[in-house]
Amino acid sequence: MTILLTAANGRTGRAVLTALAAKGARVKVFIRNEGQWPDLESLGAIDYAVGNMQEKQTVDEAVKGCDGIVHIGPPMHPDELEITGRFISAALHHRVERFIYYSVMHPLLRDIRHHRLKLDAEQHLVESGLAYSIVQPSRYMQHLENIWKQILETGVHAMPFSVEQRFSVVDLVDLAEATALVATQPGHLYACYELAGPQDLSQQDMAGIIGRQLQRQVRAEAMSLQQMEQGARARGAGDDRVEQMIAMNAHYDKHGFRGNPNVLCWLLGRPPAKFEDYVGRLVASGKQ
């Protein structure tokens, strides 16, 4: 069985590729340029297709000959529904046996555009007639890596929302393994799985855990949305991406982002990683 993996060169795609290869899957990766292939081959991919998710012809060529698709959309893309629709159409045309859609936890949060678009894409998939599975991941523990250097330098864990709101953060390694299991094992068709971590943690809780792992004091701080915007623009984010980040973090500031870990426990056949497990790995890696 050959599985096409989209967005394979991103953080999520690489994790899912590694997990699929560990399950013995034959993975064909969909990438933007040929220069990305050697690294992905080293992670276990057996073939590749170069293309653009917004071009029907390259999507169709990539899907040809594949038995399954694991579709990961580009983050916060305004054309999420259209992009997913192209892969659904190609899957129907080429009689793909299984379509796994990597969505988001609580897509019903329609005031956040990328949640709303993923909900619309889920509906399109469910109504398409394809045999499907949908996974809905919570916020990644790995988002910590974006501010890790700052924490080491300043002792401050700063995120653009309240330090008291709670999040069911989840280890991307666990999400990738669960996605690979859904893609390769029988029994998961027509399922929609919420994948949340095992703890509801505030930013204060996380700062305390980080401090214990580093054996130094770390405090939580609520970064303003203006500070977040400045940082995002400095990293090259455009107007649309910044607007969506503001909407998402404003929602998190008011409501947090909490889910239930039972489905992830069941899929993995073990307890998912706790935040302290992940931070311990990060500290041990020596990442700066």
Side-chain angles (χ1 to χ4, degrees):
M1 179 178 183
T2 299
I3 297 172
L4 178 70
L5 174 64
T6 69
N9 196 50
R11 174 163 57 181
T12 301
R14 284 173 169 248
V16 172
L17 169 58
T18 301
L20 284 168
K23 302 297 179 191
R26 294 173 50 82
V27 185
K28 178 181 180 181
V29 292
F30 188 86
I31 53 179
R32 286 187 178 183
N33 63 74
E34 197 167 8
Q36 297 171 342
W37 166 242
D39 280 350
L40 300 182
E41 185 180 24
S42 72
L43 294 178
I46 57 94
D47 195 7
Y48 69 96
V50 176
N52 186 325
M53 291 188 187
Q54 294 183 288
E55 294 178 357
K56 181 180 181 298
Q57 183 176 350
T58 57
V59 168
D60 188 77
E61 285 296 318
V63 171
K64 187 184 301 182
C66 294
D67 306 293
I69 296 175
V70 175
H71 175 54
I72 303 168
M76 295 187 182
H77 201 287
D79 296 330
E80 171 83 29
L81 178 58
E82 290 78 6
I83 287 170
T84 305
R86 288 188 193 95
F87 282 97
I88 289 173
S89 295
L92 287 166
H93 179 70
H94 293 290
R95 301 182 182 276
V96 169
E97 297 173 10
R98 185 185 301 191
F99 193 110
I100 292 86
Y101 179 51
Y102 197 90
S103 183
V104 67
M105 190 173 77
H106 305 334
L108 52 81
L109 300 176
R110 300 188 69 88
D111 56 327
I112 308 174
R113 188 188 70 188
H114 73 275
H115 283 246
R116 180 176 71 248
L117 291 177
K118 286 188 181 296
L119 181 63
D120 292 341
E122 286 187 16
Q123 180 179 354
H124 184 26
L125 178 58
V126 169
E127 294 176 347
S128 70
L130 286 170
Y132 69 86
S133 305
I134 297 169
V135 294
Q136 298 176 324
S138 182
R139 182 169 170 254
Y140 296 175
M141 293 179 185
Q142 277 73 7
H143 288 161
L144 177 63
E145 295 175 23
N146 299 338
I147 61 169
W148 187 242
K149 183 178 180 181
Q150 173 188 315
I151 292 171
L152 294 177
E153 291 176 351
T154 67
V156 177
H157 179 255
M159 299 296 280
F161 35 77
S162 166
V163 299
E164 298 176 350
Q165 287 294 356
R166 295 187 172 274
F167 297 78
S168 302
V169 289
V170 64
D171 190 349
L172 177 56
V173 174
D174 287 342
L175 290 174
E177 182 178 348
T179 302
L181 288 166
V182 169
T184 58
Q185 290 186 342
H188 300 295
L189 295 183
Y190 309 108
C192 184
Y193 292 143
E194 176 181 296
L195 303 179
Q199 300 163 288
D200 288 337
L201 300 175
S202 69
Q203 303 309 305
Q204 290 175 330
D205 295 330
M206 294 182 198
I209 290 168
I210 295 165
R212 288 192 292 274
Q213 291 288 342
L214 290 173
Q215 298 184 327
R216 56 178 286 197
Q217 185 174 1
V218 175
R219 64 180 174 86
E221 184 177 287
M223 180 193 305
S224 72
L225 291 177
Q226 290 75 20
Q227 289 173 305
M228 184 218 70
E229 178 178 354
Q230 291 172 359
R233 291 192 184 281
R235 294 189 297 272
D239 290 344
D240 183 77
R241 181 66 178 267
V242 168
E243 181 181 341
Q244 299 314 310
M245 290 173 69
I246 289 172
M248 177 183 70
N249 286 303
H251 189 281
Y252 287 169
D253 181 62
K254 186 175 181 180
H255 301 287
F257 196 47
R258 303 168 76 173
N260 188 287
N262 286 350
V263 171
L264 184 57
C265 289
W266 169 68
L267 285 170
L268 296 175
R270 58 171 174 80
K274 293 183 177 181
F275 188 65
E276 49 262 45
D277 301 325
Y278 162 70
V279 178
R281 296 200 321 258
L282 186 57
V283 172
S285 74
K287 183 179 176 64
Q288 298 293 317

